[in-house]
Amino acid sequence: MGVRWERVKSKGSFVSIFQASIASVQDLDAFIDAASWSRELVKDMGCTDTSIMQVAVGGDQVGLIGISFDWGTMDAALAGSAALMANDQIRQMMGDCGVTLHRRSLMRILGERGERSGTYLSCVYTSGTPSADGMDVGWDLMKDGCNGLMGAAGVITGMSSWTGAIFSWTDSVDSLMACSAKAWADPQMAEIQAQSDTKPVGRIIGRILA
């Protein structure tokens, strides 16, 4: 059973930061094995949830590893990341597994529905002004094809063409894509997206490993 989130925005204040780190890993099996002990270590540093996936489809990102972390604030994310990279056990593990970090981005979670569980994780990168306005409409349209849905706004992403991201957890890519097509074509959703000038600019799909 995955982590269940109904709503993470309360009275205008955002209560969670989603950190996405992209890396290449030479010894993936050993890296996944290390998650059994490193997960608790990371949580001791203030992280509330973490997961690992490998990009299966997504242009030049195929094969790369995505590691996500949830933090309460951006300060907590920066402090936790610094503590993580300074930890002797983590540094040894990264060296042994041949881990090279390529990118780290911070996003503000705008809303979630359902559960973060499934075989695959889809990330649709979007342009425009990210908004939580379409979460309920989107979930009604997507829930038959995914287990969970999350909207996020990019806060610190480096040079990039995207400003937001829509994450979906699923056990069937076919079902996800069918519901996704329905959602993008829905008149009410189109109106909401037009108000924020939201447009998809790319998608990756990864297999969840841990």
Side-chain angles (χ1 to χ4, degrees):
M1 184 67 68
V3 179
R4 184 169 184 83
W5 305 83
E6 287 297 333
R7 187 177 298 272
V8 296
K9 182 182 178 185
S10 176
K11 297 182 180 180
S13 62
F14 299 96
V15 297
S16 191
I17 294 294
F18 188 76
Q19 174 186 323
S21 297
I22 303 298
S24 53
V25 178
Q26 294 179 11
D27 190 340
L28 185 56
D29 289 339
F31 184 72
I32 298 304
D33 286 344
S36 61
W37 58 264
S38 62
R39 185 183 299 270
E40 293 307 314
L41 191 153
V42 171
K43 288 186 176 181
D44 288 343
M45 297 176 180
C47 175
T48 58
D49 190 48
T50 181
S51 66
I52 302 170
M53 69 91 166
Q54 183 175 36
V55 179
V57 185
D60 58 4
Q61 295 191 57
V62 168
L64 293 178
I65 303 302
I67 309 103
S68 68
F69 305 86
D70 283 72
W71 308 93
T73 65
M74 283 182 281
D75 284 339
L78 293 171
S81 294
L84 189 64
M85 299 304 290
N87 182 274
D88 289 339
Q89 285 180 280
I90 295 295
R91 289 165 64 92
Q92 182 67 47
M93 180 273 291
M94 291 178 66
D96 291 343
C97 297
V99 178
T100 301
L101 181 64
H102 300 295
R103 183 182 184 90
R104 179 187 291 138
S105 301
L106 295 185
M107 289 167 266
R108 187 175 283 123
I109 298 178
L110 301 177
E112 294 196 51
R113 302 293 184 272
E115 298 179 348
R116 295 187 189 182
S117 65
T119 304
Y120 303 102
L121 172 63
S122 164
C123 173
V124 175
Y125 298 101
T126 61
S127 60
T129 304
S131 169
D133 292 345
M135 281 300 303
D136 288 325
V137 175
W139 178 238
D140 284 341
L141 294 165
M142 292 290 295
K143 61 185 179 182
D144 289 337
C146 67
N147 304 319
L149 183 69
M150 181 177 86
V155 179
I156 305 173
T157 63
M159 294 289 289
S160 63
S161 60
W162 58 276
T163 55
I166 303 169
F167 297 90
S168 306
W169 287 261
T170 186
D171 291 303
S172 170
V173 175
D174 285 325
S175 296
L176 173 69
M177 297 306 289
C179 289
S180 180
K182 181 175 66 174
W184 287 109
D186 181 78
Q188 185 179 3
M189 181 59 75
E191 182 178 349
I192 294 171
Q193 291 166 345
Q195 292 172 358
S196 59
D197 195 29
T198 298
K199 296 181 178 66
V201 296
R203 183 195 294 266
I204 62 171
I205 292 178
R207 184 180 294 275
I208 297 171
L209 303 178

